[in-house]
Amino acid sequence: MSVTINAHQLGRLIARTTGHIDDDLTPALHGIRLDADAKYLYAVATDRFTIAAARYHHHRPDSEHTAPAVPFARTIPAASLPALREWINTVPGHDPVTVTPTDDRLRFTAPAGELAITSDPDADFIDWRGLLRGIIEQTPDSEPVFPALSTRLQARWASADAVVRVRATGDHRPLLVAGEDFLGAQMPTRARRDGFSTETDTLATLDDVRTAWHDALALSPATTPQAALPVPPRPRPRHDVTKDIGETAADLLKQVLRSTQYLVVADNVDETFAAHATAGVTAWAAYRYLDALHTADPHLAASVVAETAEQLDDGAISEWAWEAATEAGHDPQKWQDEDDKRRTQHAAQPTPA
C-alpha cells in the first residue's frame, strides 16, 4: 500500500514526534514508526517515558482507489532521519510525496525526486494503539491527583501543538496529552528534594505545598487571576495588526458584517458602496481560506498570520503584491496599465447634469 501526503505535512509529522525517540540502547525504539491504515498516516515515537503519535489524513494514489487497503508499518531508523528531513526541505511544501514500503526500503517519491531509506519490514515496535487506548480509558483515582513531572520531558510537547489538553488520573499513572491530530502521554517521575539521590519528597501532597508557602501567601487574601492581574490600559489600536489567528479571523468576520450591513442601508450606489462590496467579498474569501488552512495545518496558519501581520505593519504591501504577482508568472505592469486606461476613460466621460 502506498499513501500520499504533501511534503509540508510529512515534515510536520516528523517534527512533532522526533523529540520522543529513544536512544540506541533500545534499537526497536530508536526511530520513528510510520504506520498507515486506510485513512491516516501516523508517525509514532517513544522513549519509554513519553510517547507521541501524530496523524494526517492521507490520500491514496489514483491507481489504488479501487484496491482494498493494506496497512503497513515501518520504522524510520534515527540515523536516516537527518537525510529524510534534508530531502523534505528540498521539496516544495505543497508537492505530493508518495510513501511506499518495499522489501527492505521505504521510498519517498516526489514529482522532482525520490529518496529510499533502509527499513527492516520485520523490525519490532510497541503496540502503541493499545498503550494509548489504555491511558485514555484510565479511571481517575478517588484521592486528589498531584503527580510529579519531569520538566525536561515536558519541554518535548512544544512541537506537539500550539495548545494541548492534559489529563491526570493518578500520581503514578501516565499523563494524557492531546492536540489536533495528536495524542501522547508522559510518565510521572519520582519527586526528589534536590538533584541528587535522596528519596525525600518534601512536596508530595498539596498540603505540603500549602505549608511550605504559608508564611508568604498568608499575607494576602485568596484572589482569582482576573482580580489579581492588571488589565491592559487600552485596547489594541485599530491600526495595529494582530498576530493572533483567532483575532484575525474575528476581524475578517467583523469586516464582512460591517460591509454587508452598509450595502443594506446605503441609499445609492457610489464609490463607497463599491468599496464596501469589494471589502466584504474579500474579507469573506480570506476568512474561508484561513479557516481551511487552520483545519489542514494550525501551525502553518499561525505562521502565515504572523508573517502577514509583519508585512502589513511594514506598510509596503503593494511592493509585496508586485513581487508575488511577478513570481507567480503574471504581469503586474500590464494590470496597472489597464487600470490607468480605465481611470482615464472614466474621467473623460461627461458628468451627468
Side-chain angles (χ1 to χ4, degrees), residues 333-346:
Q333 184 62 56
K334 180 180 178 181
W335 294 346
Q336 183 170 313
D337 293 342
E338 292 173 347
D339 287 339
D340 290 343
K341 182 179 179 180
R342 279 194 294 268
R343 282 193 292 268
T344 301
Q345 292 174 343
H346 179 75

PDB file of all heavy atoms in Angstrom, residues 333-346:
ATOM      1  N   GLN A 333       2.655  44.970 -14.352  1.00  0.00           N
ATOM      2  CA  GLN A 333       2.707  46.230 -15.092  1.00  0.00           C
ATOM      3  C   GLN A 333       1.534  46.319 -16.068  1.00  0.00           C
ATOM      4  O   GLN A 333       0.927  47.388 -16.245  1.00  0.00           O
ATOM      5  CB  GLN A 333       4.030  46.339 -15.846  1.00  0.00           C
ATOM      6  CG  GLN A 333       4.215  47.669 -16.563  1.00  0.00           C
ATOM      7  CD  GLN A 333       4.232  48.844 -15.597  1.00  0.00           C
ATOM      8  OE1 GLN A 333       5.022  48.895 -14.672  1.00  0.00           O
ATOM      9  NE2 GLN A 333       3.326  49.806 -15.810  1.00  0.00           N
ATOM     10  N   LYS A 334       1.189  45.215 -16.683  1.00  0.00           N
ATOM     11  CA  LYS A 334       0.043  45.186 -17.589  1.00  0.00           C
ATOM     12  C   LYS A 334      -1.247  45.477 -16.828  1.00  0.00           C
ATOM     13  O   LYS A 334      -2.110  46.216 -17.314  1.00  0.00           O
ATOM     14  CB  LYS A 334      -0.039  43.829 -18.273  1.00  0.00           C
ATOM     15  CG  LYS A 334      -1.197  43.702 -19.244  1.00  0.00           C
ATOM     16  CD  LYS A 334      -1.221  42.317 -19.880  1.00  0.00           C
ATOM     17  CE  LYS A 334      -2.417  42.172 -20.830  1.00  0.00           C
ATOM     18  NZ  LYS A 334      -2.472  40.817 -21.429  1.00  0.00           N
ATOM     19  N   TRP A 335      -1.376  44.899 -15.634  1.00  0.00           N
ATOM     20  CA  TRP A 335      -2.564  45.178 -14.816  1.00  0.00           C
ATOM     21  C   TRP A 335      -2.668  46.675 -14.521  1.00  0.00           C
ATOM     22  O   TRP A 335      -3.735  47.268 -14.615  1.00  0.00           O
ATOM     23  CB  TRP A 335      -2.501  44.400 -13.506  1.00  0.00           C
ATOM     24  CG  TRP A 335      -2.587  42.917 -13.650  1.00  0.00           C
ATOM     25  CD1 TRP A 335      -2.980  42.212 -14.759  1.00  0.00           C
ATOM     26  CD2 TRP A 335      -2.264  41.954 -12.651  1.00  0.00           C
ATOM     27  NE1 TRP A 335      -2.929  40.864 -14.513  1.00  0.00           N
ATOM     28  CE2 TRP A 335      -2.498  40.671 -13.224  1.00  0.00           C
ATOM     29  CE3 TRP A 335      -1.801  42.022 -11.340  1.00  0.00           C
ATOM     30  CZ2 TRP A 335      -2.288  39.486 -12.516  1.00  0.00           C
ATOM     31  CZ3 TRP A 335      -1.604  40.861 -10.635  1.00  0.00           C
ATOM     32  CH2 TRP A 335      -1.833  39.596 -11.215  1.00  0.00           C
ATOM     33  N   GLN A 336      -1.534  47.264 -14.130  1.00  0.00           N
ATOM     34  CA  GLN A 336      -1.541  48.678 -13.775  1.00  0.00           C
ATOM     35  C   GLN A 336      -1.874  49.540 -14.990  1.00  0.00           C
ATOM     36  O   GLN A 336      -2.634  50.511 -14.873  1.00  0.00           O
ATOM     37  CB  GLN A 336      -0.181  49.077 -13.201  1.00  0.00           C
ATOM     38  CG  GLN A 336      -0.111  50.525 -12.744  1.00  0.00           C
ATOM     39  CD  GLN A 336       1.158  50.810 -11.973  1.00  0.00           C
ATOM     40  OE1 GLN A 336       1.535  50.067 -11.079  1.00  0.00           O
ATOM     41  NE2 GLN A 336       1.822  51.892 -12.332  1.00  0.00           N
ATOM     42  N   ASP A 337      -1.323  49.202 -16.159  1.00  0.00           N
ATOM     43  CA  ASP A 337      -1.625  49.968 -17.375  1.00  0.00           C
ATOM     44  C   ASP A 337      -3.113  49.889 -17.716  1.00  0.00           C
ATOM     45  O   ASP A 337      -3.727  50.893 -18.132  1.00  0.00           O
ATOM     46  CB  ASP A 337      -0.792  49.448 -18.545  1.00  0.00           C
ATOM     47  CG  ASP A 337       0.697  49.708 -18.363  1.00  0.00           C
ATOM     48  OD1 ASP A 337       1.047  50.572 -17.533  1.00  0.00           O
ATOM     49  OD2 ASP A 337       1.502  49.038 -19.050  1.00  0.00           O
ATOM     50  N   GLU A 338      -3.707  48.708 -17.539  1.00  0.00           N
ATOM     51  CA  GLU A 338      -5.134  48.549 -17.814  1.00  0.00           C
ATOM     52  C   GLU A 338      -5.976  49.381 -16.848  1.00  0.00           C
ATOM     53  O   GLU A 338      -6.979  49.989 -17.249  1.00  0.00           O
ATOM     54  CB  GLU A 338      -5.520  47.078 -17.736  1.00  0.00           C
ATOM     55  CG  GLU A 338      -4.930  46.229 -18.858  1.00  0.00           C
ATOM     56  CD  GLU A 338      -5.198  44.750 -18.657  1.00  0.00           C
ATOM     57  OE1 GLU A 338      -5.621  44.370 -17.531  1.00  0.00           O
ATOM     58  OE2 GLU A 338      -4.975  43.970 -19.608  1.00  0.00           O
ATOM     59  N   ASP A 339      -5.588  49.404 -15.569  1.00  0.00           N
ATOM     60  CA  ASP A 339      -6.311  50.209 -14.585  1.00  0.00           C
ATOM     61  C   ASP A 339      -6.192  51.697 -14.915  1.00  0.00           C
ATOM     62  O   ASP A 339      -7.168  52.456 -14.804  1.00  0.00           O
ATOM     63  CB  ASP A 339      -5.790  49.931 -13.176  1.00  0.00           C
ATOM     64  CG  ASP A 339      -6.223  48.577 -12.653  1.00  0.00           C
ATOM     65  OD1 ASP A 339      -7.220  48.037 -13.185  1.00  0.00           O
ATOM     66  OD2 ASP A 339      -5.583  48.068 -11.720  1.00  0.00           O
ATOM     67  N   ASP A 340      -4.982  52.130 -15.290  1.00  0.00           N
ATOM     68  CA  ASP A 340      -4.785  53.546 -15.646  1.00  0.00           C
ATOM     69  C   ASP A 340      -5.659  53.915 -16.850  1.00  0.00           C
ATOM     70  O   ASP A 340      -6.236  55.018 -16.907  1.00  0.00           O
ATOM     71  CB  ASP A 340      -3.310  53.803 -15.971  1.00  0.00           C
ATOM     72  CG  ASP A 340      -2.430  53.721 -14.728  1.00  0.00           C
ATOM     73  OD1 ASP A 340      -2.977  53.799 -13.616  1.00  0.00           O
ATOM     74  OD2 ASP A 340      -1.200  53.570 -14.894  1.00  0.00           O
ATOM     75  N   LYS A 341      -5.762  53.013 -17.823  1.00  0.00           N
ATOM     76  CA  LYS A 341      -6.573  53.276 -19.006  1.00  0.00           C
ATOM     77  C   LYS A 341      -8.043  53.418 -18.649  1.00  0.00           C
ATOM     78  O   LYS A 341      -8.739  54.326 -19.138  1.00  0.00           O
ATOM     79  CB  LYS A 341      -6.365  52.152 -20.024  1.00  0.00           C
ATOM     80  CG  LYS A 341      -7.133  52.358 -21.323  1.00  0.00           C
ATOM     81  CD  LYS A 341      -6.859  51.209 -22.287  1.00  0.00           C
ATOM     82  CE  LYS A 341      -7.640  51.407 -23.588  1.00  0.00           C
ATOM     83  NZ  LYS A 341      -7.364  50.289 -24.538  1.00  0.00           N
ATOM     84  N   ARG A 342      -8.530  52.540 -17.763  1.00  0.00           N
ATOM     85  CA  ARG A 342      -9.927  52.622 -17.347  1.00  0.00           C
ATOM     86  C   ARG A 342     -10.211  53.926 -16.605  1.00  0.00           C
ATOM     87  O   ARG A 342     -11.248  54.570 -16.818  1.00  0.00           O
ATOM     88  CB  ARG A 342     -10.286  51.413 -16.466  1.00  0.00           C
ATOM     89  CG  ARG A 342     -10.593  50.149 -17.246  1.00  0.00           C
ATOM     90  CD  ARG A 342     -11.249  49.113 -16.356  1.00  0.00           C
ATOM     91  NE  ARG A 342     -10.328  48.654 -15.315  1.00  0.00           N
ATOM     92  CZ  ARG A 342      -9.538  47.597 -15.440  1.00  0.00           C
ATOM     93  NH1 ARG A 342      -9.548  46.901 -16.567  1.00  0.00           N
ATOM     94  NH2 ARG A 342      -8.743  47.239 -14.464  1.00  0.00           N
ATOM     95  N   ARG A 343      -9.297  54.326 -15.731  1.00  0.00           N
ATOM     96  CA  ARG A 343      -9.496  55.577 -14.995  1.00  0.00           C
ATOM     97  C   ARG A 343      -9.494  56.786 -15.941  1.00  0.00           C
ATOM     98  O   ARG A 343     -10.257  57.736 -15.765  1.00  0.00           O
ATOM     99  CB  ARG A 343      -8.417  55.732 -13.917  1.00  0.00           C
ATOM    100  CG  ARG A 343      -8.666  54.900 -12.675  1.00  0.00           C
ATOM    101  CD  ARG A 343      -7.755  55.316 -11.543  1.00  0.00           C
ATOM    102  NE  ARG A 343      -6.359  54.989 -11.837  1.00  0.00           N
ATOM    103  CZ  ARG A 343      -5.784  53.852 -11.489  1.00  0.00           C
ATOM    104  NH1 ARG A 343      -6.491  52.927 -10.856  1.00  0.00           N
ATOM    105  NH2 ARG A 343      -4.514  53.627 -11.780  1.00  0.00           N
ATOM    106  N   THR A 344      -8.616  56.758 -16.935  1.00  0.00           N
ATOM    107  CA  THR A 344      -8.568  57.857 -17.909  1.00  0.00           C
ATOM    108  C   THR A 344      -9.867  57.941 -18.692  1.00  0.00           C
ATOM    109  O   THR A 344     -10.420  59.024 -18.913  1.00  0.00           O
ATOM    110  CB  THR A 344      -7.381  57.657 -18.862  1.00  0.00           C
ATOM    111  OG1 THR A 344      -6.164  57.622 -18.096  1.00  0.00           O
ATOM    112  CG2 THR A 344      -7.310  58.788 -19.867  1.00  0.00           C
ATOM    113  N   GLN A 345     -10.370  56.779 -19.126  1.00  0.00           N
ATOM    114  CA  GLN A 345     -11.620  56.770 -19.872  1.00  0.00           C
ATOM    115  C   GLN A 345     -12.792  57.239 -19.021  1.00  0.00           C
ATOM    116  O   GLN A 345     -13.680  57.962 -19.492  1.00  0.00           O
ATOM    117  CB  GLN A 345     -11.887  55.356 -20.401  1.00  0.00           C
ATOM    118  CG  GLN A 345     -10.901  54.914 -21.485  1.00  0.00           C
ATOM    119  CD  GLN A 345     -11.103  53.453 -21.881  1.00  0.00           C
ATOM    120  OE1 GLN A 345     -11.749  52.687 -21.158  1.00  0.00           O
ATOM    121  NE2 GLN A 345     -10.534  53.078 -23.028  1.00  0.00           N
ATOM    122  N   HIS A 346     -12.783  56.840 -17.730  1.00  0.00           N
ATOM    123  CA  HIS A 346     -13.866  57.237 -16.828  1.00  0.00           C
ATOM    124  C   HIS A 346     -13.836  58.744 -16.599  1.00  0.00           C
ATOM    125  O   HIS A 346     -14.877  59.396 -16.568  1.00  0.00           O
ATOM    126  CB  HIS A 346     -13.746  56.485 -15.502  1.00  0.00           C
ATOM    127  CG  HIS A 346     -14.802  56.859 -14.510  1.00  0.00           C
ATOM    128  ND1 HIS A 346     -16.108  56.418 -14.616  1.00  0.00           N
ATOM    129  CD2 HIS A 346     -14.747  57.646 -13.391  1.00  0.00           C
ATOM    130  CE1 HIS A 346     -16.812  56.906 -13.611  1.00  0.00           C
ATOM    131  NE2 HIS A 346     -16.015  57.641 -12.851  1.00  0.00           N
TER     132      HIS A 346
END
